[in-house]
Amino acid sequence: MTRDESTAPEAPPSLEDIREAREQLGERVRETPVWRWRGPEVDERLGAGTEVYLKLELFQYGGTFKPRGALVNMLALSPAQLERGVTAVSAGNHAIAVAFAAQDMGSTAKVVMPRNANPARVEICRGYGAEAILVDDVHQAFAEVERIQEEEGRFFVHPFEGRRTILGTATVGLELHQEVEGLDAVVVPIGGGGLCAGIATATKLLRPKCQVFGVEPDGADTMHRSFAAGKPMAIDKVRTIADSLGAPYAAPYSFDLCRRHVDELVRIDDDALRRTMGLFFCSLKLAVEPAAAAATAALLGPLRERLRGKRIGVVVCGTNIDFKTFAEQAIFEG
C-alpha cells in the first residue's frame, strides 16, 4: 500500500521510542549542528533580544533530513526484503534519501520522480546507484510506484507517512532540544507533514510549553486545508517554487500528530522564500533550496512580532539545488 501503510491505527511515538530510534540510526546519519544566528541582519529584523538557533539539516547525508526516516524504515526490513529492494516517489529529496539508504543498507532502489524534477536531484539519485523513473506528474508517480510494488515486490518507503518515518524525523527534534535548552518556540516547514509531525511530537514530549509553528507555502497548503476540514485533504496541483514542500495530499498518521502537537500553521509566499534564500546566502553563506528557507521566512514575516524576544529553534530542512536554479530563484536585497 502507498497512501496508508496500514489499516490498523499506530500508536504515537513515546520519548523512549524516539531515543531508541536515534540510537538505532547511530552513525548512519549525522547529528547535524545547531548554530546561533547572530549579527545585524537578524538583530535588525527580530530585535537584539531574540535568540535564533538554526538546526542545519542541510548538512545531513543526502543533503536533507530525509535519510532519518528512510533508514528507520529500512532497518526494520528482513534480509529477503532488502534483497528485493525498495521504491519511493519524490520530487527529489526523498528519492535521494531512499537511494542513499538503499546503498548504505546493501539494497537497491527504484525511485519514481516527476519529469520536471530538478535534473541535479535526478543525477544525485543515480549517483547513489538508484534507478530513476521519470513520469509526467506526482499523481502518475504514485500509480507507477504501486505497479513496481506489485510486479517486483519492492518495499515502498513513504515520503512522510507512517510511524517509522515519524520516528526518524522526531530524532531531529530530539537533537535540537538536547543541543539547545529552554526553547520557547520551534518553527518547522511542512510538506506532507512528516518532518513537522516528528519534531512537534518530540518537542511536546521534551518541553510541553514550547510552541510549535508549522510553515507551508501558499501554493501547497495541504495541511492548512486538512486542519480546516478536520481530516486529511488533497490539493489538485502544486503552485510554489518550494517543490520539496509540494505534497499532493495529507495522510492520517502524520496529520493526526500535527493536529495534536502543532500550535499554529502559517503560510508564506514565494517572494518571501526568494528573499530568505538571498539572506541566507549573504548573511550565512549558505545556498539553500526554497523549502529550507520556509521556516526562517515565516519567522521574519508573519511570526516576527509574536516571537520577538523569544528563544527560537528554526529547522533548515536541507538543500539539493543546483547553482543555476539558486541564482534564478534567490532575491538579493541591498
Side-chain angles (χ1 to χ4, degrees):
M1 299 175 71
T2 54
R3 296 204 174 187
D4 297 308
E5 290 187 333
S6 172
T7 56
E10 295 179 289
S14 68
L15 187 56
E16 181 181 359
D17 294 333
I18 297 168
R19 287 174 172 152
E20 287 180 356
R22 185 62 189 90
E23 184 176 352
Q24 184 183 33
L25 286 170
E27 294 186 0
R28 292 181 187 273
V29 298
R30 292 187 174 112
E31 182 171 336
T32 53
V34 176
W35 194 75
R36 170 81 185 274
W37 188 11
R38 302 172 187 243
E41 301 92 345
V42 67
D43 289 348
E44 290 170 5
R45 290 167 171 82
L46 297 173
T50 307
E51 298 181 20
V52 180
Y53 296 88
L54 304 175
K55 177 62 170 167
L56 298 173
E57 276 294 294
L58 79 167
F59 293 132
Q60 188 55 262
Y61 295 121
T64 73
F65 70 94
K66 289 284 190 178
R68 295 174 185 262
L71 281 164
V72 171
N73 275 285
M74 293 182 63
L75 284 165
L77 298 181
S78 67
Q81 182 60 75
L82 288 172
E83 178 67 25
R84 289 192 293 272
V86 296
T87 187
V89 56
S90 167
N93 287 337
H94 179 62
I96 290 168
V98 171
F100 164 80
Q103 185 181 75
D104 183 75
M105 296 287 296
S107 186
T108 63
K110 182 176 286 190
V111 298
V112 184
M113 308 173 71
R115 204 173 302 280
N116 63 355
N118 189 302
R121 295 176 181 173
V122 178
E123 290 309 308
I124 293 171
C125 288
R126 290 171 174 159
Y128 282 123
E131 179 181 348
I133 299 173
L134 304 182
V135 297
D136 289 339
D137 56 47
V138 70
H139 295 284
Q140 185 179 342
F142 275 100
E144 178 64 14
V145 161
E146 290 179 357
R147 183 195 66 77
I148 291 170
Q149 285 180 272
E150 183 177 347
E151 294 183 3
E152 300 183 25
R154 291 179 179 268
F155 177 81
F156 176 71
V157 184
H158 201 287
F160 54 83
E161 177 69 338
R163 191 171 190 275
R164 292 189 180 280
T165 299
I166 303 308
L167 281 171
T169 61
T171 64
V172 180
L174 177 68
E175 290 178 9
L176 174 61
H177 288 281
Q178 287 175 337
E179 292 160 352
V180 185
E181 295 182 353
L183 288 173
D184 298 306
V186 177
V187 188
V188 191
I190 291 183
L195 177 64
C196 194
I199 292 176
T201 300
T203 294
K204 295 302 184 181
L205 289 170
L206 287 161
R207 187 169 171 80
K209 293 184 179 179
C210 180
Q211 290 185 292
V212 179
F213 295 90
V215 182
E216 286 186 303
D218 285 336
D221 61 346
T222 311
M223 197 60 71
H224 271 87
R225 299 185 188 202
S226 299
F227 270 39
K231 62 181 180 180
M233 299 295 289
I235 56 175
D236 63 335
K237 187 177 182 180
V238 174
R239 299 175 176 86
T240 175
I241 61 170
D243 54 350
S244 298
L245 302 182
Y249 64 89
Y253 189 74
S254 50
F255 164 72
D256 183 63
L257 289 173
C258 284
R259 185 171 56 176
R260 290 189 198 187
H261 300 309
V262 174
D263 294 280
E264 189 174 328
L265 299 175
V266 296
R267 294 186 185 91
I268 37 89
D269 61 31
D270 280 3
D271 282 345
L273 294 173
R274 295 177 190 274
R275 289 192 299 269
T276 305
M277 291 169 69
L279 177 64
F280 265 125
F281 187 81
C282 294
S283 177
L284 307 175
K285 309 308 176 190
L286 296 175
V288 302
E289 64 175 282
T296 306
L299 176 61
L300 298 175
L303 295 176
R304 180 170 58 182
E305 295 304 320
R306 302 254 317 263
L307 297 181
R308 185 181 295 273
K310 303 292 186 181
R311 192 171 171 89
I312 310 154
V314 178
V315 179
V316 184
C317 56
T319 186
N320 282 305
I321 191 168
D322 61 277
F323 176 78
K324 179 176 181 293
T325 305
F326 176 81
E328 290 172 348
Q329 292 181 339
I331 294 176
F332 298 93
E333 298 180 320

